[in-house]
Amino acid sequence: MAGPARSSAALLALIAATSLGWPSAGRAADAGPPKPQELPQGGASPGSADSIPTDKPKLRAFCADRPAQATLPCTVDKGHFQLETDLFNATYDRSGGGITDTYLATNPTLKLGIADRTDVEVNIAPYEEVRTHEPGAASSDTLYGPGDLIIRLKQNFFGDYRGPLALAIEPFVKVPTARAGIGNGAWEGGVVLPAAAALGKSIILNLSPEIDVAKDMFGGGVHLAPVEIINVTWSLPKNLTLSTELYAREDQDPAGVVTQCSADLGLSLGLRDDLELDMGTNLGLNPQTAAVQGYIGMAKRF
């Protein structure tokens, strides 16, 4: 049997490892429920590291909004933060008659849990590049710089992402930090009502009804732009999660209503209980929507 000194060293190593991220399930229940804390074998002497209490509250199952475009009703645990970001994102758009290529070199969202079921989320792309050109043209006009700043507050009313039911509300505001041509220079905002329902052990239905308040194209007025996203996630073997969804947005600008819709597909891989890598694509379903968007990214809880 191991002596107190060896047991103390083992426990200190365990505490150091778990401080990087408490055990939790993968985003769509691919890792199962959190495992109970395991203690090293061997006797514990009074006052030694082995006698340190291990009854810290367990974190909820790891849950990230990405991949795809749906917003989930889960929040980050109080006192913890989570990073969700594109590592690279590219969009090919012909909806305006010409061709617009947009590239994001990272697109981080930082989430901080400020209460048991409340978090604050901040998102901005530090580098965005927009290239516009006519079909067949050899040259293009290029703009680059940071994107707009988006600040969100998510409040979960009840339930966890893994079911059976969950509901939240997430108001947000967009601060116009992007230059003209990348952003529209307007303060805008909206509210999302994320909801989730488990359809079994491996299937989760997510709904993200949203109302945006957007600036009119002409003049100083504003208008509404309702959004609906229907998302289904499927737990697969090997810690994989498949995300499928339909996205629709109706921009009710007085200058002309624009309807955008896409079919989206995402795949995430749980590398650890608090770390995922992902990739995906969004395919436009009508001429008013960008033809294709592709991305790779990650999510990590700290």
Side-chain angles (χ1 to χ4, degrees):
M1 178 176 295
R6 181 173 300 177
S7 299
S8 300
L11 182 58
L12 289 174
L14 176 63
I15 294 173
T18 55
S19 66
L20 298 178
W22 284 81
S24 63
R27 172 176 178 187
D30 37 81
K35 296 180 179 179
Q37 187 80 13
E38 295 182 358
L39 298 177
Q41 296 181 352
S45 59
S48 70
D50 288 349
S51 64
I52 298 176
T54 58
D55 57 349
K56 292 183 179 180
K58 295 178 181 178
L59 299 184
R60 293 189 292 270
F62 181 63
C63 174
D65 286 321
R66 56 178 308 115
Q69 303 186 73
T71 299
L72 305 185
C74 52
T75 57
V76 179
D77 296 79
K78 181 180 179 180
H80 291 261
F81 67 93
Q82 189 161 303
L83 174 65
E84 301 178 18
T85 183
D86 290 324
L87 300 176
F88 180 74
N89 184 311
T91 303
Y92 177 76
D93 186 2
R94 300 191 64 172
S95 61
I99 298 175
T100 302
D101 300 325
T102 304
Y103 303 97
L104 305 180
T106 75
N107 183 26
T109 294
L110 184 63
K111 302 179 177 182
L112 174 64
I114 60 175
D116 288 342
R117 293 186 175 272
T118 309
D119 66 32
V120 175
E121 307 176 3
V122 179
N123 165 253
I124 187 171
Y127 180 82
E128 188 168 344
E129 183 174 312
V130 180
R131 301 177 185 174
T132 57
H133 56 95
E134 297 297 324
S139 60
S140 62
D141 296 324
T142 303
L143 296 173
Y144 55 87
D148 288 321
L149 172 67
I150 301 175
I151 303 172
R152 302 173 181 267
L153 176 69
K154 187 188 290 187
Q155 174 64 56
N156 175 272
F157 294 126
F158 62 85
D160 293 321
Y161 169 66
R162 297 178 60 183
L165 294 173
L167 179 66
I169 187 170
E170 185 181 66
F172 65 91
V173 62
K174 187 202 78 175
V175 183
T177 54
R179 62 183 295 187
I182 295 179
N184 64 356
W187 287 78
E188 296 176 327
V191 61
V192 191
L193 289 172
L199 304 182
K201 284 188 175 182
S202 60
I203 304 176
I204 299 176
L205 171 66
N206 304 286
L207 302 177
S208 297
E210 175 180 341
I211 291 290
D212 296 345
V213 179
K215 179 182 179 297
D216 292 346
M217 182 177 296
F218 303 108
V222 296
H223 61 273
L224 297 180
V227 180
E228 182 56 87
I229 303 175
I230 302 174
N231 174 288
V232 179
T233 60
W234 313 73
S235 295
L236 304 175
K238 307 296 184 181
N239 291 333
L240 291 172
T241 300
L242 177 66
S243 174
T244 60
E245 72 181 15
L246 292 175
Y247 167 93
R249 184 178 192 266
E250 183 180 75
D251 191 313
Q252 300 173 352
D253 195 300
V257 176
V258 175
T259 300
Q260 297 177 312
C261 51
S262 66
D264 310 332
L265 188 67
L267 185 67
S268 62
L269 170 64
L271 297 181
R272 285 171 39 183
D273 290 340
D274 57 4
L275 174 64
E276 291 181 351
L277 298 180
D278 62 65
M279 60 186 299
T281 184
N282 305 326
L283 303 176
L285 298 179
N286 68 350
Q288 288 75 43
T289 309
V292 61
Q293 181 181 51
Y295 57 86
I296 58 173
M298 62 163 287
K300 174 72 172 74
R301 179 171 60 188
F302 298 87

